[in-house]
Amino acid sequence: MATPQADVNPKLATIKALLAKAENSAASEAEAELYRARAMEMMAKYGVDEALLSDGQPSRDGVTDKNFDLPNPWSMSRVRLMYHIAEAVGCKSILMGQQGNGTRRVHVVGYESDVQRAEILYTSLQLQMLNGLNRQAVPYGVRSPKAWRNSWQLGFIVRVTERLAAIEEAARAAASGETSATGRSGELVLAARGGMVRAAFQAAHPTVRKQSSSFSGTGYGDGIAAGNRADIGGTRRIGAASAGALIA
């Protein structure tokens, strides 16, 4: 199994630079939208390109795993965001439990290039989510502001990751007729990668349970609206049996 390497890929460096420009307060809203849209397009294309170039070369881009420790405040919202981003880019993830001080650990399994993509996207989108949450005024009469804020974040996560998944799916569909380094079709390569990730994940986590989410009042709908506006353009390793929770 591959071991994650330092991020030296020039395409990823360019994507990170675009996202950093989008988060710069000196950029106008129009400039930020352009930077983020371009970054998301490049990210999806990068994922497909790496899959095709690495076909038959597991040492170049093999299945790996990584733990992410996600802190408070709003650690469960961070968990849900990471989970859905990982799923969108072709990885599998699971909540491993609390690590102390409210920090929760998420274990992500996937091809190295996709784990890197998940991490970069999570870093950008969780900033958007938390910055957006900080700008919200809880509606008058709400009985539990905390529940409302949780619902707002859940709505944001659902919609923004739906949009991310659509962009990823479009990139995969566009590559279905392309040919990999070994001559296989893009469609076959991507399907095979999905099977490898699922097998590795099931070997690491043979017993899992599903954890559902709830929402309160108008927070969920307001979060959905914010997601529509968001700009998208002691480690346990693979092979060790464990139990955890999938996040709905």
Side-chain angles (χ1 to χ4, degrees), residues 21-232:
K21 288 181 178 180
E23 297 300 333
N24 191 327
S25 60
S28 69
E29 186 58 33
E31 289 172 332
E33 289 178 1
L34 288 174
Y35 291 140
R36 291 185 182 117
R38 180 58 180 153
M40 295 305 109
E41 291 170 2
M42 290 182 64
M43 186 68 86
K45 184 67 164 59
Y46 169 79
V48 170
D49 288 346
E50 282 298 299
L52 297 179
L53 290 171
S54 302
D55 188 31
Q57 301 182 63
S59 62
R60 186 181 189 278
D61 187 25
V63 177
T64 188
D65 70 314
K66 185 170 182 176
N67 285 317
F68 294 89
D69 289 336
L70 309 179
N72 267 324
W74 311 113
S75 62
M76 276 307 300
S77 292
R78 297 174 196 260
V79 166
R80 292 185 181 100
L81 182 62
M82 173 59 82
Y83 172 82
H84 288 292
I85 289 172
E87 292 285 319
V89 301
C91 300
K92 302 291 290 183
S93 67
I94 191 169
L95 172 62
M96 300 299 292
Q98 294 198 40
Q99 305 300 306
N101 297 322
T103 296
R104 288 178 164 86
R105 175 167 291 176
V106 175
H107 186 211
V108 176
V109 179
Y111 278 81
E112 183 174 351
S113 61
D114 294 332
V115 173
Q116 288 178 318
R117 294 195 305 132
E119 183 171 10
I120 293 168
L121 288 166
Y122 169 78
T123 300
S124 177
L125 291 177
Q126 65 96 20
L127 283 173
Q128 290 190 50
M129 179 179 72
L130 296 178
N131 288 341
L133 180 65
N134 288 337
R135 292 192 294 267
Q136 301 306 306
V138 178
Y140 176 77
V142 168
R143 297 179 61 182
S144 173
K146 183 177 180 180
W148 188 92
R149 292 187 177 101
N150 270 320
S151 297
W152 186 93
Q153 291 174 90
L154 181 58
F156 178 93
I157 291 164
V158 167
R159 186 57 187 137
V160 81
T161 54
E162 282 179 349
R163 295 175 64 205
L164 173 61
I167 290 172
E168 289 286 323
E169 184 59 34
R172 293 170 192 151
S176 63
E178 296 185 23
T179 303
S180 76
T182 64
R184 294 199 296 175
S185 71
E187 183 177 14
L188 183 58
V189 170
L190 294 171
R193 281 168 69 96
M196 291 290 289
V197 171
R198 287 190 295 273
F201 181 80
Q202 289 167 4
H205 304 286
T207 304
V208 297
R209 58 186 175 82
K210 190 169 184 178
Q211 179 172 319
S212 61
S213 305
S214 61
F215 58 89
S216 172
T218 62
Y220 184 79
D222 291 342
I224 287 278
N228 280 328
R229 294 191 298 271
D231 295 308
I232 294 290

